[in-house]
Amino acid sequence: MGEPLFDRIAYIGIGLIGSSLARVVRRDGLARSSIACARSESTRVTARDLDLVDEVTSSIAEAVRDADLVMICTPVGAYAAAAREMAPHLSPGAIVSDVGSVKETVIRDLVPHLPANVHLVPGHPIAGTEKSGPENGFAGLFQGRWCILTPPEGTAPAAVERVRALWRTAGMEVDVMDAAHHDRVLAITSHLPHLIAYTIVGTADDLEEDLRREVIKYSASGFRDFTRIAASDPVMWRDIFLQNREAVLDTLQRFTEDLTALQRAIRRGEGNTLEALFTRTRAIRRSIIDAKQA
Ligand code: NAP
């Protein structure tokens, strides 16, 4: 174990992602001390019982005091209020980072509140499960996955490098890109698939009672995989769609056009069209397996 990367890490929110990171920080001695701020008593008790951090608090002001890394791990809709509350208590030179699944609005919501003497390094570890809460986190969650950092122009490179080092230690590959580009990429790779899953499962649930029972019984034929995704946290995903609105709507428009084209091919009995698409998509699955992201 080398020198800790940080003196004191403050986690604002400690659910699935925050607690997984806290486990890595503990495992590898990445901080001299740590504190988690959680709004509910039950989360504070769990974080304490699992020994995820040295201290827990319900006060954002208390959590960020003396921290050289503040890691925001709440749903993205809670960022503006959190930033307002933490701003007067941040240490000069502190890094404020996050794990949120949308990046452009995160910057929009944080920047106006943060003092000029802190470094903002937004991040998104692309790793997760459909579960929530600190009891479901695990240190291996990030292993072999990608993390995207989207520092606004002019961010001190040394701050970016420290956040990069943190995620590298967690086992992630790290890419740096523009926040708008991140949001467009994630709209197609993550947000649209979740929207489709929520829709299919909702449609099945709306079917009449008899049919609905059989949907559960025969779910192994494909439906089951969608239900796993559609079991993801409702608040987190509400916020993602509200915050990545433009990119999601744009991707959804293209998807709807492609779906209509498939609908027409089925109606007209155009087997070649269907087979050509399904052959192309099978190759994409192969490239994901080759990239070890399956
Ligand atoms: P989670 O398990 O539900 O944990 C969320 C944490 O935020 C909890 O500690 C919760 O407190 C707190 N919180 C919720 N609403 C809040 C509010 N309005 N004000 C203050 N605190 C609040 O969620 P998660 O899966 O760790 O997700 C956290 C972030 O990671 C999200 O921004 C999400 O977009 C991002 N992310 C998630 C995944 C994934 O697959 N889950 C992957 C990558 C990134 P209580 O426990 O006290 O309610």
Side-chain angles (χ1 to χ4, degrees), residues 16-81:
L16 176 81
I17 303 294
S19 76
S20 296
L21 181 60
R23 285 170 168 93
V24 172
V25 169
R26 269 270 193 260
R27 182 193 68 195
D28 296 343
L30 302 180
R32 289 195 173 83
S33 68
S34 58
I35 183 165
C37 173
R39 59 180 182 166
S40 70
E41 172 66 17
S42 64
T43 298
R44 290 195 294 276
V45 168
T46 308
R48 204 181 288 123
D49 288 351
L50 294 173
D51 192 33
L52 297 172
V53 283
D54 301 326
E55 293 165 63
V56 294
T57 175
S58 58
S59 152
I60 290 187
E62 187 188 334
V64 304
R65 204 169 289 135
D66 300 327
D68 55 349
L69 175 65
V70 174
M71 187 59 84
I72 306 175
C73 304
T74 67
V76 286
Y79 278 31

Side-chain angles (χ1 to χ4, degrees), residues 10-276:
Y11 305 92
I12 308 303
I14 184 142
L16 176 81
I17 303 294
S19 76
S20 296
L21 181 60
R23 285 170 168 93
V24 172
V25 169
R26 269 270 193 260
R27 182 193 68 195
D28 296 343
L30 302 180
R32 289 195 173 83
S33 68
S34 58
I35 183 165
C37 173
R39 59 180 182 166
S40 70
E41 172 66 17
S42 64
T43 298
R44 290 195 294 276
V45 168
T46 308
R48 204 181 288 123
D49 288 351
L50 294 173
D51 192 33
L52 297 172
V53 283
D54 301 326
E55 293 165 63
V56 294
T57 175
S58 58
S59 152
I60 290 187
E62 187 188 334
V64 304
R65 204 169 289 135
D66 300 327
D68 55 349
L69 175 65
V70 174
M71 187 59 84
I72 306 175
C73 304
T74 67
V76 286
Y79 278 31
R84 232 185 341 260
E85 227 176 305
M86 73 175 70
H89 309 282
L90 289 165
S91 292
I95 295 173
V96 176
S97 187
D98 81 309
V99 297
S101 309
V102 181
K103 297 272 64 92
E104 237 189 335
T105 52
V106 157
I107 295 173
R108 179 203 67 194
D109 288 350
L110 294 179
V111 164
H113 303 290
L114 298 182
N117 59 6
V118 304
H119 308 286
L120 175 61
V121 184
H124 178 199
I126 304 182
T129 73
E130 71 283 11
K131 302 211 173 97
S132 311
E135 62 281 11
N136 288 307
F138 56 102
L141 178 67
F142 308 111
Q143 192 62 47
R145 303 283 179 232
W146 282 90
C147 181
I148 297 177
L149 303 181
T150 63
E153 251 184 65
T155 306
V160 178
E161 286 317 305
R162 287 177 78 195
V163 178
R164 183 198 293 271
L166 176 70
W167 291 114
R168 292 282 302 158
T169 313
M172 305 195 91
E173 303 278 351
V174 179
D175 259 350
V176 174
M177 67 177 70
D178 171 54
H181 187 70
H182 164 279
D183 290 354
R184 280 204 305 277
V185 172
L186 269 291
I188 182 68
T189 56
S190 169
H191 306 170
L192 185 66
H194 276 79
L195 197 66
I196 293 169
Y198 282 124
T199 313
I200 291 182
V201 178
T203 303
D205 190 52
D206 286 342
L207 292 177
E208 53 195 275
E209 185 60 23
D210 279 2
L211 214 49
R212 200 192 306 161
R213 237 179 273 130
E214 298 199 284
V215 166
I216 305 288
K217 186 170 165 192
Y218 301 123
S219 62
S221 50
F223 183 69
R224 185 180 58 191
D225 296 342
F226 285 104
T227 61
R228 187 187 59 74
I229 298 178
S232 301
D233 190 73
V235 173
M236 169 183 148
W237 280 96
R238 176 201 66 191
D239 285 0
I240 289 172
F241 290 118
L242 294 180
Q243 301 249 348
N244 200 19
R245 193 183 119 128
E246 298 311 322
V248 167
L249 289 178
D250 185 52
T251 311
L252 193 57
Q253 175 63 33
R254 296 173 72 138
F255 174 76
T256 311
E257 286 167 19
D258 291 344
L259 196 61
T260 304
L262 272 190
Q263 192 178 2
R264 195 179 50 215
I266 294 170
R267 184 177 303 109
R268 292 181 179 174
E270 291 168 359
N272 289 346
T273 306
L274 299 177
E275 195 180 331

